[in-house]
mmCIF file of all heavy atoms in Angstrom:
data_model
loop_
_atom_site.group_PDB
_atom_site.id
_atom_site.type_symbol
_atom_site.label_atom_id
_atom_site.label_comp_id
_atom_site.label_asym_id
_atom_site.label_seq_id
_atom_site.Cartn_x
_atom_site.Cartn_y
_atom_site.Cartn_z
ATOM 1 N N ARG A 1 71.873 82.137 105.139
ATOM 2 C CA ARG A 1 71.488 82.654 103.724
ATOM 3 C C ARG A 1 70.324 83.576 103.734
ATOM 4 O O ARG A 1 70.309 84.466 102.966
ATOM 5 C CB ARG A 1 71.329 81.400 102.851
ATOM 6 C CG ARG A 1 72.591 80.536 102.767
ATOM 7 C CD ARG A 1 72.626 79.602 101.581
ATOM 8 N NE ARG A 1 71.424 78.826 101.372
ATOM 9 C CZ ARG A 1 71.151 77.641 101.917
ATOM 10 N NH1 ARG A 1 72.252 77.058 102.745
ATOM 11 N NH2 ARG A 1 70.242 76.851 101.688
ATOM 12 N N ARG A 2 69.376 83.145 104.398
ATOM 13 C CA ARG A 2 68.143 83.965 104.542
ATOM 14 C C ARG A 2 68.319 85.246 105.072
ATOM 15 O O ARG A 2 68.028 86.261 104.531
ATOM 16 C CB ARG A 2 67.089 83.287 105.315
ATOM 17 C CG ARG A 2 65.748 84.023 105.709
ATOM 18 C CD ARG A 2 64.969 84.344 104.413
ATOM 19 N NE ARG A 2 63.922 85.214 104.719
ATOM 20 C CZ ARG A 2 62.739 84.706 105.165
ATOM 21 N NH1 ARG A 2 62.408 83.492 105.389
ATOM 22 N NH2 ARG A 2 61.706 85.550 105.383
ATOM 23 N N ALA A 3 69.315 85.408 106.061
ATOM 24 C CA ALA A 3 69.557 86.759 106.688
ATOM 25 C C ALA A 3 70.415 87.424 105.699
ATOM 26 O O ALA A 3 70.264 88.884 105.645
ATOM 27 C CB ALA A 3 70.466 86.453 107.936
ATOM 28 N N SER A 4 71.259 86.850 104.827
ATOM 29 C CA SER A 4 72.050 87.528 103.941
ATOM 30 C C SER A 4 71.124 88.154 102.880
ATOM 31 O O SER A 4 71.365 89.323 102.286
ATOM 32 C CB SER A 4 73.176 86.730 103.337
ATOM 33 O OG SER A 4 72.559 85.739 102.501
ATOM 34 N N VAL A 5 70.107 87.374 102.496
ATOM 35 C CA VAL A 5 69.062 87.862 101.537
ATOM 36 C C VAL A 5 68.397 89.187 102.046
ATOM 37 O O VAL A 5 68.247 90.144 101.283
ATOM 38 C CB VAL A 5 68.199 86.825 101.148
ATOM 39 C CG1 VAL A 5 66.808 87.358 100.491
ATOM 40 C CG2 VAL A 5 68.742 85.729 100.241
ATOM 41 N N THR A 6 68.105 89.053 103.355
ATOM 42 C CA THR A 6 67.370 90.208 104.017
ATOM 43 C C THR A 6 68.391 91.449 103.940
ATOM 44 O O THR A 6 67.874 92.598 103.693
ATOM 45 C CB THR A 6 67.007 89.933 105.407
ATOM 46 O OG1 THR A 6 66.187 88.808 105.473
ATOM 47 C CG2 THR A 6 66.321 91.114 106.099
ATOM 48 N N ALA A 7 69.493 91.196 104.148
ATOM 49 C CA ALA A 7 70.508 92.363 104.129
ATOM 50 C C ALA A 7 70.612 92.997 102.699
ATOM 51 O O ALA A 7 70.695 94.133 102.424
ATOM 52 C CB ALA A 7 71.964 91.867 104.678
ATOM 53 N N LEU A 8 70.766 92.065 101.715
ATOM 54 C CA LEU A 8 70.841 92.557 100.342
ATOM 55 C C LEU A 8 69.541 93.282 99.943
ATOM 56 O O LEU A 8 69.673 94.345 99.215
ATOM 57 C CB LEU A 8 71.090 91.431 99.395
ATOM 58 C CG LEU A 8 72.452 90.713 99.539
ATOM 59 C CD1 LEU A 8 72.343 89.334 98.692
ATOM 60 C CD2 LEU A 8 73.575 91.620 99.040
ATOM 61 N N SER A 9 68.436 92.833 100.456
ATOM 62 C CA SER A 9 67.126 93.564 100.173
ATOM 63 C C SER A 9 67.148 95.001 100.721
ATOM 64 O O SER A 9 66.402 95.726 100.241
ATOM 65 C CB SER A 9 65.952 92.691 100.622
ATOM 66 O OG SER A 9 66.062 91.347 100.113
ATOM 67 N N ALA A 10 67.790 95.068 101.886
ATOM 68 C CA ALA A 10 67.812 96.429 102.506
ATOM 69 C C ALA A 10 68.953 97.246 101.797
ATOM 70 O O ALA A 10 68.580 98.515 101.661
ATOM 71 C CB ALA A 10 68.267 96.197 103.987
ATOM 72 N N ARG A 11 70.036 96.810 101.383
ATOM 73 C CA ARG A 11 71.057 97.546 100.806
ATOM 74 C C ARG A 11 70.571 98.235 99.398
ATOM 75 O O ARG A 11 70.732 99.374 99.070
ATOM 76 C CB ARG A 11 72.253 96.787 100.622
ATOM 77 C CG ARG A 11 72.966 96.523 101.902
ATOM 78 C CD ARG A 11 74.400 95.879 101.466
ATOM 79 N NE ARG A 11 75.184 96.814 100.969
ATOM 80 C CZ ARG A 11 75.970 97.776 101.569
ATOM 81 N NH1 ARG A 11 75.841 97.978 102.889
ATOM 82 N NH2 ARG A 11 76.799 98.518 100.949
ATOM 83 N N GLY A 12 70.061 97.248 98.577
ATOM 84 C CA GLY A 12 69.699 97.745 97.281
ATOM 85 C C GLY A 12 70.909 97.829 96.328
ATOM 86 O O GLY A 12 72.082 97.579 96.790
ATOM 87 N N GLY A 13 70.677 98.373 95.097
ATOM 88 C CA GLY A 13 71.809 98.628 94.180
ATOM 89 C C GLY A 13 71.981 97.381 93.208
ATOM 90 O O GLY A 13 71.529 96.346 93.621
ATOM 91 N N PRO A 14 72.624 97.563 92.038
ATOM 92 C CA PRO A 14 72.713 96.630 91.169
ATOM 93 C C PRO A 14 73.386 95.354 91.650
ATOM 94 O O PRO A 14 73.005 94.384 91.324
ATOM 95 C CB PRO A 14 73.520 97.267 89.888
ATOM 96 C CG PRO A 14 73.237 98.815 90.116
ATOM 97 C CD PRO A 14 73.049 98.967 91.689
ATOM 98 N N ALA A 15 74.434 95.518 92.481
ATOM 99 C CA ALA A 15 75.128 94.270 92.957
ATOM 100 C C ALA A 15 74.326 93.439 93.843
ATOM 101 O O ALA A 15 74.270 92.297 93.739
ATOM 102 C CB ALA A 15 76.449 94.802 93.762
ATOM 103 N N SER A 16 73.499 94.111 94.708
ATOM 104 C CA SER A 16 72.484 93.346 95.567
ATOM 105 C C SER A 16 71.530 92.578 94.671
ATOM 106 O O SER A 16 71.117 91.559 94.979
ATOM 107 C CB SER A 16 71.792 94.303 96.521
ATOM 108 O OG SER A 16 72.775 94.732 97.463
ATOM 109 N N VAL A 17 70.973 93.403 93.635
ATOM 110 C CA VAL A 17 69.959 92.694 92.860
ATOM 111 C C VAL A 17 70.594 91.397 92.097
ATOM 112 O O VAL A 17 69.888 90.373 92.106
ATOM 113 C CB VAL A 17 69.427 93.770 91.697
ATOM 114 C CG1 VAL A 17 68.548 92.955 90.679
ATOM 115 C CG2 VAL A 17 68.691 94.831 92.382
ATOM 116 N N ALA A 18 71.804 91.530 91.711
ATOM 117 C CA ALA A 18 72.416 90.331 91.036
ATOM 118 C C ALA A 18 72.602 89.172 91.978
ATOM 119 O O ALA A 18 72.307 88.041 91.559
ATOM 120 C CB ALA A 18 73.762 90.746 90.432
ATOM 121 N N SER A 19 72.919 89.439 93.174
ATOM 122 C CA SER A 19 72.952 88.329 94.207
ATOM 123 C C SER A 19 71.693 87.822 94.491
ATOM 124 O O SER A 19 71.576 86.641 94.690
ATOM 125 C CB SER A 19 73.760 88.860 95.407
ATOM 126 O OG SER A 19 75.034 89.173 95.113
ATOM 127 N N LEU A 20 70.677 88.709 94.652
ATOM 128 C CA LEU A 20 69.341 88.213 95.027
ATOM 129 C C LEU A 20 68.747 87.263 93.854
ATOM 130 O O LEU A 20 68.125 86.259 94.019
ATOM 131 C CB LEU A 20 68.342 89.353 95.235
ATOM 132 C CG LEU A 20 68.580 90.149 96.506
ATOM 133 C CD1 LEU A 20 67.751 91.417 96.367
ATOM 134 C CD2 LEU A 20 68.200 89.189 97.778
ATOM 135 N N ARG A 21 69.026 87.733 92.655
ATOM 136 C CA ARG A 21 68.585 86.875 91.474
ATOM 137 C C ARG A 21 69.303 85.526 91.493
ATOM 138 O O ARG A 21 68.630 84.516 91.314
ATOM 139 C CB ARG A 21 69.022 87.558 90.160
ATOM 140 C CG ARG A 21 68.567 86.686 88.965
ATOM 141 C CD ARG A 21 68.715 87.307 87.535
ATOM 142 N NE ARG A 21 68.414 86.407 86.613
ATOM 143 C CZ ARG A 21 68.374 86.684 85.307
ATOM 144 N NH1 ARG A 21 68.569 87.930 84.916
ATOM 145 N NH2 ARG A 21 68.120 85.779 84.465
ATOM 146 N N TRP A 22 70.662 85.523 91.787
ATOM 147 C CA TRP A 22 71.332 84.279 91.919
ATOM 148 C C TRP A 22 70.708 83.364 93.070
ATOM 149 O O TRP A 22 70.425 82.121 92.791
ATOM 150 C CB TRP A 22 72.798 84.462 92.227
ATOM 151 C CG TRP A 22 73.628 83.220 92.415
ATOM 152 C CD1 TRP A 22 74.245 82.493 91.474
ATOM 153 C CD2 TRP A 22 73.838 82.546 93.620
ATOM 154 N NE1 TRP A 22 74.746 81.358 92.006
ATOM 155 C CE2 TRP A 22 74.535 81.379 93.385
ATOM 156 C CE3 TRP A 22 73.408 82.786 94.910
ATOM 157 C CZ2 TRP A 22 75.052 80.475 94.282
ATOM 158 C CZ3 TRP A 22 73.972 81.878 95.982
ATOM 159 C CH2 TRP A 22 74.680 80.709 95.631
ATOM 160 N N ALA A 23 70.389 83.926 94.151
ATOM 161 C CA ALA A 23 69.719 83.241 95.247
ATOM 162 C C ALA A 23 68.323 82.605 94.770
ATOM 163 O O ALA A 23 67.925 81.521 95.188
ATOM 164 C CB ALA A 23 69.636 84.048 96.519
ATOM 165 N N ALA A 24 67.579 83.415 94.215
ATOM 166 C CA ALA A 24 66.215 83.025 93.650
ATOM 167 C C ALA A 24 66.417 81.792 92.680
ATOM 168 O O ALA A 24 65.460 80.999 92.773
ATOM 169 C CB ALA A 24 65.489 84.188 93.030
ATOM 170 N N GLU A 25 67.280 81.890 91.880
ATOM 171 C CA GLU A 25 67.535 80.768 90.919
ATOM 172 C C GLU A 25 68.208 79.520 91.508
ATOM 173 O O GLU A 25 67.834 78.389 91.061
ATOM 174 C CB GLU A 25 68.263 81.252 89.690
ATOM 175 C CG GLU A 25 67.572 82.227 88.975
ATOM 176 C CD GLU A 25 68.258 82.779 87.716
ATOM 177 O OE1 GLU A 25 69.457 83.136 87.899
ATOM 178 O OE2 GLU A 25 67.701 82.835 86.671
ATOM 179 N N ALA A 26 69.164 79.724 92.327
ATOM 180 C CA ALA A 26 70.042 78.643 92.656
ATOM 181 C C ALA A 26 69.947 78.141 93.893
ATOM 182 O O ALA A 26 70.363 76.924 94.281
ATOM 183 C CB ALA A 26 71.552 79.023 92.439
ATOM 184 N N ASP A 27 69.371 78.803 95.016
ATOM 185 C CA ASP A 27 69.442 78.314 96.352
ATOM 186 C C ASP A 27 68.547 77.034 96.550
ATOM 187 O O ASP A 27 67.424 76.908 95.898
ATOM 188 C CB ASP A 27 68.955 79.288 97.365
ATOM 189 C CG ASP A 27 69.402 79.038 98.715
ATOM 190 O OD1 ASP A 27 68.734 78.384 99.550
ATOM 191 O OD2 ASP A 27 70.470 79.727 99.178
ATOM 192 N N ALA A 28 69.076 76.127 97.304
ATOM 193 C CA ALA A 28 68.401 74.914 97.539
ATOM 194 C C ALA A 28 67.151 74.980 98.552
ATOM 195 O O ALA A 28 66.303 74.165 98.526
ATOM 196 C CB ALA A 28 69.336 73.799 98.196
ATOM 197 N N SER A 29 67.078 76.130 99.188
ATOM 198 C CA SER A 29 65.969 76.397 100.064
ATOM 199 C C SER A 29 64.746 76.962 99.516
ATOM 200 O O SER A 29 64.940 78.111 98.971
ATOM 201 C CB SER A 29 66.487 76.999 101.413
ATOM 202 O OG SER A 29 65.339 77.509 102.211
ATOM 203 N N THR A 30 63.604 76.528 99.597
ATOM 204 C CA THR A 30 62.429 77.228 99.075
ATOM 205 C C THR A 30 62.357 78.538 99.689
ATOM 206 O O THR A 30 61.885 79.555 99.289
ATOM 207 C CB THR A 30 61.175 76.321 99.191
ATOM 208 O OG1 THR A 30 61.383 75.115 98.471
ATOM 209 C CG2 THR A 30 59.982 76.972 98.725
ATOM 210 N N GLU A 31 62.441 78.627 101.107
ATOM 211 C CA GLU A 31 62.237 79.803 101.879
ATOM 212 C C GLU A 31 63.174 80.870 101.481
ATOM 213 O O GLU A 31 62.843 82.046 101.286
ATOM 214 C CB GLU A 31 62.509 79.374 103.390
ATOM 215 C CG GLU A 31 62.148 80.614 104.311
ATOM 216 C CD GLU A 31 62.332 80.211 105.750
ATOM 217 O OE1 GLU A 31 63.416 79.700 106.064
ATOM 218 O OE2 GLU A 31 61.515 80.482 106.575
ATOM 219 N N VAL A 32 64.502 80.383 101.200
ATOM 220 C CA VAL A 32 65.439 81.398 100.842
ATOM 221 C C VAL A 32 65.140 81.939 99.413
ATOM 222 O O VAL A 32 65.408 83.180 99.158
ATOM 223 C CB VAL A 32 66.903 80.839 100.864
ATOM 224 C CG1 VAL A 32 67.970 81.863 100.271
ATOM 225 C CG2 VAL A 32 67.350 80.521 102.234
ATOM 226 N N ARG A 33 64.737 81.042 98.432
ATOM 227 C CA ARG A 33 64.429 81.568 97.166
ATOM 228 C C ARG A 33 63.307 82.443 97.272
ATOM 229 O O ARG A 33 63.203 83.468 96.475
ATOM 230 C CB ARG A 33 63.953 80.311 96.292
ATOM 231 C CG ARG A 33 65.206 79.510 96.003
ATOM 232 C CD ARG A 33 64.896 78.496 94.742
ATOM 233 N NE ARG A 33 63.701 77.723 94.977
ATOM 234 C CZ ARG A 33 63.535 76.558 95.528
ATOM 235 N NH1 ARG A 33 64.854 75.966 95.860
ATOM 236 N NH2 ARG A 33 62.527 75.791 95.629
ATOM 237 N N GLN A 34 62.237 82.183 98.022
ATOM 238 C CA GLN A 34 61.133 83.117 98.220
ATOM 239 C C GLN A 34 61.528 84.380 98.903
ATOM 240 O O GLN A 34 61.012 85.593 98.324
ATOM 241 C CB GLN A 34 60.021 82.492 99.020
ATOM 242 C CG GLN A 34 58.734 83.428 99.072
ATOM 243 C CD GLN A 34 58.127 83.545 97.740
ATOM 244 O OE1 GLN A 34 57.906 82.700 96.957
ATOM 245 N NE2 GLN A 34 57.890 84.810 97.436
ATOM 246 N N ALA A 35 62.390 84.485 99.744
ATOM 247 C CA ALA A 35 62.851 85.610 100.270
ATOM 248 C C ALA A 35 63.614 86.463 99.259
ATOM 249 O O ALA A 35 63.469 87.798 99.181
ATOM 250 C CB ALA A 35 63.856 85.251 101.552
#
């Protein structure tokens, strides 16, 4: 999950932002949320 967050951060675009927001709000891992 952390690696996928890194990938989305590199890609950019509205779809990536939406997924990153979901991860920041919902992921169970503090590390993933921070990423």
Side-chain angles (χ1 to χ4, degrees):
R1 299 199 304 274
R2 171 70 185 269
S4 68
V5 163
T6 301
L8 291 167
S9 303
R11 286 189 68 81
S16 292
V17 171
S19 296
L20 288 171
R21 176 175 177 173
W22 178 86
E25 291 180 310
D27 201 277
S29 165
T30 302
E31 186 180 52
V32 174
R33 292 198 304 270
Q34 184 59 51

